Amino acid sequence: MAELVRRETRGRVGVITVDNPPVNALPLAVRTAIRDQLRLAVADPGVDAVVICAAGRTFMAGADIREFNARPVDPVIGDVAGEIEAAPKPVVAAIHGTALGGGYEIALGCHYRIATPTAKIGLPEVNLGLIPGAGGTQRLPHLIGVKAAIAMASSGRHIPAPEALAMGAIDEIATGDLRDAAIAAAERLAAGKAIRRTMDIPIDAAALPADFFDAERATIRKRYRGFAAQPAVVDAVEAAVKLPRAAGIAREREISWDLKTSVQSKALRHLFFGEREVGHIPGIGRETPLRPVASVGVVGAGTMGAGIAVNFLNAGFPVTLIDTKPEALARARDTIAKIYARDVAKGRLAPDTEQARCARLTTSLDMESLAAADLVIEAAFEDMGVKQEIFRALDAVCKPGAILASNTSTLDLDRIAAATNRPADVIGTHFFSPAHIMKLLEVVRGAKTATDAIATLMNIAKRIDKIAVLSGVCFGFIGNRMFEGYIRESQRLLLEGCTPTQVDQALVDWGMAMGPCAVVDLAGVDVSYLTREANRAHMPADPSYCLIGDRLYEQGRLGQKAGKGFYRYGPDGAVRDPEVEALIRDEAKRLGIAPRDIGNDEIVARCILPLISEGAQILSDGIALRSVDIDVVWCAGYGFPRYRGGPMLCGDTLGLTQVVDDMGKYARQLGNDFGYWTPAPLLRELAAAGKGFKDWTRP
Ligand code: COA
């Protein structure tokens, strides 16, 4: 095995290189070796200064997250950073790729930071439910000021080198070879005999208002609703300002440890690894060939089609957008131009980049224009007949080997594929609305979809900055199939005495990005109604089933786009509508459902328990590969609180026995004529065996 950390001497500079692929994480062996090599360099009379750099694609990307479940073993990264800072010879960090978390904290311990022009630095620990725990919150305020330190560590943002230089988070950008430049800097520092230790730079806290930290905490709590780590960053920086050095470091470690053992951090780590694991598909590996994709066609120029096109234009693909109506194409061009204009106005996009992206878009009324496309995504009306007709046409015009994808959100992909003579080339790509923003992409594998088509789509997803999760074919795939029970209960709660505001607020307070009634209004009351219509044959004969949604549809209350749905929409956004509340009361009376007071706990349990049980059934049915795939779908596509890790992890956190017991309680309380409260067999089995979803692997 190659050495994890090696040292050589260049002139009178000791160069310590960390080489722990793929991302130079910092497990015990690596941090011990850095410390040992530093000690040897310091003791070497032939060495006047030291450079710390990394081999491979990146500088150290942080602590080894896999070690987080155990108590840290000395030397922890903070010890190493402290020893570097105290070194009697100047130490320079040479940064390429990303210096993240513990990696950047090591750089903060160094006396000088030099980076390549494309490097990025950051303290992304909050994304794992943590704060920087290796002196980051203590050193950074000395270097860049208190406010900037809080902003950097609470956002977890990766900061590009030029910006990092401007704010003082690095000291120099290397124009030529990084190592040479770092060695030159080390020689300069050694010659100047002045060591600038980060902790010795005075913090300018005198100008801060008396209530500064309380105000920061309040702002951050509001911005990161429900998350524990972000406000804890303020606590740690406050300690850096108000406590003696050693006490500040101790306080930071204490906060960091408390967070590390919290449910939130475990949930966020589960998602970190989950978002990478979803890309691992049994039977598909590096050896699976990818089909070349250089050009993309999109059929259907509605909101979804335009949003899908934007993803590909952003990633540099030429896109041909097809529709049967010229006015639809004109509208789509307009929609796309507006998306880009907003980005330019906000400074997120340079005007010449915008022009280049728009120039890659072609619109056409003629399917023949797709003859040369490598990938075609159909984003037409959600109707089997319409989709089959389009796929027949694509089959006739597209070149052999082109991937034909459908953006269906519910329909049977195998029936769509059967309309062609090449079902192996047909795949599902379910984008989420707004398609250019939402991170999730469900890639749907039909019975005959070719392995290389799946591998290609999983790869393309990365290129368009999506998190792709593979789903099998069933009504609604992973996400929408589960959504059905969630929406059913949210609407049943209305009939039992809740208002839409009460249901939505309870779930938002619990952490959902939006409440279910507001979501239906946003997506379109008609869209969920038509989805139900398409599946009525399989639905329970329950007269209360999504009844309020059906009634709103009949009354033309189609949601936000109609100015009214579950809520009424005006200049001030959504407001409660007494008309809807009266409608709910009338319908409840008609069905003989007596209103009662329902607490937030019941609202949350009634909506979340069905998700867990349906998720279990989805696993048994082979629709999702792993429980974490379901969690990723819900967190990336449905606004499920990341700090709860997704519905399946929620089940594990609650304990599956508890889930089964709670479902039993609602079966007794509400009746179970339609089987809503019968736990999925897998859920029952795991609960009986004292296991969780995390223990489950596909038999
Ligand atoms: N500890 C352990 N494993 C890590 C890791 C870490 N800090 N960072 C990345 N990895 C692993 C990933 O799980 C992945 O493993 P896999 O190939 O088995 O799936 C592999 O390294 C490559 O990571 P990936 O994210 O796929 O590579 P990338 O080039 O897209 O991104 C980074 C690289 C460094 C930007 C990204 O991995 C990252 O953000 N890492 C976390 C950094 C962090 O939060 N550090 C602070 C920790 S407190």
Side-chain angles (χ1 to χ4, degrees):
M1 202 174 93
E3 260 181 311
L4 292 172
V5 178
R6 55 180 181 268
R7 182 170 55 92
E8 63 196 298
T9 308
R10 294 266 299 267
R12 295 191 59 78
V13 177
V15 179
I16 296 173
T17 305
V18 178
D19 190 1
N20 179 29
V23 297
N24 290 310
L26 292 160
L28 177 63
V30 174
R31 17 186 232 270
T32 310
I34 297 175
R35 185 200 58 186
D36 293 349
Q37 293 299 343
L38 175 76
R39 286 181 180 172
L40 290 170
V42 165
D44 184 344
V47 163
D48 296 335
V50 180
V51 166
I52 298 182
C53 60
R57 68 196 216 212
T58 179
F59 193 75
M60 291 157 261
D64 189 331
I65 302 168
R66 290 169 215 275
E67 283 187 345
F68 282 5
N69 291 330
R71 257 209 174 271
V73 178
D74 290 343
V76 293
I77 302 174
D79 297 338
V80 179
E83 198 159 329
I84 294 170
E85 184 168 59
K89 297 177 181 176
V91 185
V92 173
I95 299 170
H96 75 293
T98 40
L100 298 178
Y104 182 60
E105 289 175 292
I106 294 264
L108 282 173
C110 295
H111 308 125
Y112 195 80
R113 287 148 291 274
I114 179 165
T116 59
T118 53
K120 289 184 177 171
I121 57 140
L123 294 172
E125 285 87 345
V126 285
N127 298 326
L128 300 169
L130 302 169
I131 61 162
T137 63
Q138 306 303 293
R139 290 197 175 85
L140 197 56
H142 292 267
L143 206 56
I144 66 172
V146 174
K147 209 170 166 54
I150 291 175
M152 180 169 157
S154 65
S155 70
R157 198 162 71 85
H158 295 190
I159 299 174
E163 189 184 340
L165 180 68
M167 64 199 272
I170 59 170
D171 301 292
E172 185 181 335
I173 291 182
T175 41
D177 179 74
L178 176 66
R179 257 155 74 97
D180 291 347
I183 290 167
E187 285 167 345
R188 258 193 341 264
L189 292 179
K193 301 219 178 304
I195 294 183
R196 180 178 175 252
R197 296 191 170 85
T198 309
M199 282 284 214
D200 290 343
I201 304 166
I203 297 184
D204 184 13
L208 297 176
D211 66 344
F212 174 79
F213 289 104
D214 287 339
E216 284 287 302
R217 254 185 300 269
T219 310
I220 282 179
R221 280 214 181 92
K222 211 160 149 197
R223 187 174 310 146
Y224 301 101
R225 188 170 54 86
F227 285 85
Q230 283 80 347
V233 163
V234 184
D235 300 346
V237 172
E238 186 173 15
V241 173
K242 295 186 175 166
L243 299 182
R245 226 177 256 192
I249 292 272
R251 179 82 187 109
E252 183 200 72
R253 281 193 191 175
E254 201 177 273
I255 298 173
S256 176
W257 177 250
D258 285 349
L259 288 170
K260 211 174 267 182
T261 49
S262 69
V263 170
Q264 285 208 0
S265 177
K266 285 185 187 146
L268 289 158
R269 272 138 56 192
H270 164 78
L271 288 174
F272 176 85
F273 288 115
E275 283 168 1
R276 284 154 181 81
E277 201 174 349
V278 290
H280 299 181
I281 297 168
I284 294 182
R286 284 186 208 288
E287 70 292 349
T288 311
L290 299 179
R291 298 190 193 183
V293 176
S295 61
V296 176
V298 177
V299 180
T303 315
M304 220 42 199
I308 292 171
V310 166
N311 285 298
F312 287 95
L313 294 171
N314 290 354
F317 292 91
V319 176
T320 305
L321 183 57
I322 304 279
D323 205 288
T324 49
K325 299 190 198 80
E327 60 276 18
L329 290 173
R331 244 193 336 263
R333 267 197 182 279
D334 199 41
T335 306
I336 293 171
K338 276 195 187 128
I339 289 172
Y340 286 142
R342 212 172 302 136
D343 285 349
V344 170
K346 292 208 161 163
R348 289 194 294 244
L349 188 66
D352 51 343
T353 315
E354 177 203 10
Q355 280 155 19
R357 288 180 183 178
C358 288
R360 285 195 285 269
L361 176 68
T362 310
T363 50
S364 169
L365 295 166
D366 186 358
M367 280 285 205
E368 293 282 347
S369 313
L370 298 176
D374 299 309
L375 165 67
V376 178
I377 298 178
E378 162 277 316
F381 189 63
E382 187 75 349
D383 176 272
M384 182 57 80
V386 171
K387 293 201 189 270
Q388 285 179 327
E389 194 181 319
I390 291 172
F391 273 76
R392 264 191 290 277
L394 290 175
D395 193 18
V397 303
C398 289
K399 66 182 183 187
I403 297 178
L404 310 182
S406 172
N407 180 50
T408 177
S409 52
T410 50
L411 299 177
D412 183 346
L413 184 76
D414 292 330
R415 284 181 59 203
I416 297 174
T420 72
N421 293 304
R422 41 172 128 176
D425 297 339
V426 176
I427 194 164
T429 48
H430 178 207
F431 287 80
F432 288 71
S433 186
H436 63 294
I437 290 176
M438 295 299 285
K439 283 295 252 185
L440 179 65
L441 177 66
E442 276 182 321
V443 172
V444 185
R445 182 210 311 245
K448 295 188 176 160
T449 307
T451 306
D452 63 346
I454 298 169
T456 304
L457 248 304
M458 299 302 285
N459 177 273
I460 293 274
K462 276 197 196 136
R463 289 168 65 188
I464 61 170
D465 200 23
K466 298 283 180 219
I467 299 173
V469 178
L470 189 69
S471 171
V473 174
C474 65
F475 190 85
F477 313 120
I478 298 172
N480 280 348
R481 173 165 158 183
M482 289 168 70
F483 198 54
E484 190 265 328
Y486 175 76
I487 290 297
R488 177 198 76 218
E489 278 313 301
S490 70
Q491 296 197 14
R492 170 78 202 189
L493 282 158
L494 302 179
L495 291 169
E496 290 174 31
C498 294
T499 61
T501 314
Q502 195 189 346
V503 170
D504 281 359
Q505 196 58 50
L507 283 150
V508 167
D509 288 348
W510 187 77
M512 296 299 292
M514 285 175 84
C517 300
V519 166
V520 172
D521 271 0
L522 179 69
V525 170
D526 50 340
V527 173
S528 52
Y529 173 83
L530 293 172
T531 305
R532 283 195 293 281
E533 275 303 285
N535 202 31
R536 286 275 182 219
H538 302 103
M539 277 178 188
D542 170 4
S544 74
Y545 183 84
C546 292
L547 178 66
I548 300 303
D550 289 353
R551 290 283 176 270
L552 295 179
Y553 173 79
E554 286 156 12
Q555 295 184 6
R557 300 188 64 114
L558 302 186
Q560 275 196 25
K561 62 187 167 198
K564 54 185 185 172
F566 283 91
Y567 297 94
R568 185 168 283 278
Y569 294 86
D572 298 329
V575 288
R576 43 190 303 189
D577 189 339
E579 262 180 47
V580 174
E581 290 170 17
L583 166 79
I584 293 169
R585 275 195 305 274
D586 290 349
E587 290 298 334
K589 206 162 167 192
R590 192 173 61 77
L591 293 179
I593 303 170
R596 62 189 171 92
D597 281 338
I598 299 178
N600 286 358
D601 287 351
E602 178 175 342
I603 295 174
V604 171
R606 293 266 303 271
C607 292
I608 302 300
L609 292 170
L611 287 180
I612 300 172
S613 185
E614 193 62 32
Q617 192 56 47
I618 279 174
L619 288 176
S620 309
D621 292 351
I623 301 299
L625 287 170
R626 295 152 290 237
S627 66
V628 74
D629 291 42
I630 297 175
D631 286 337
V632 170
V633 162
W634 271 77
C635 291
Y638 291 81
F640 200 92
R642 288 183 67 81
Y643 58 78
R644 295 188 189 274
M648 308 313 275
L649 189 78
C650 261
D652 281 354
T653 306
L654 200 61
L656 297 189
T657 318
Q658 186 69 47
V659 173
V660 169
D661 287 352
D662 288 351
M663 290 185 77
K665 183 182 90 181
Y666 288 118
R668 288 189 297 279
Q669 181 186 326
L670 305 166
N672 194 26
D673 293 353
F674 306 104
Y676 297 155
W677 301 107
T678 305
L682 176 65
L683 170 55
R684 251 198 321 248
E685 277 162 36
L686 289 171
K691 291 186 174 163
F693 293 118
K694 65 180 181 324
D695 306 310
W696 182 84
T697 48
R698 183 162 300 291

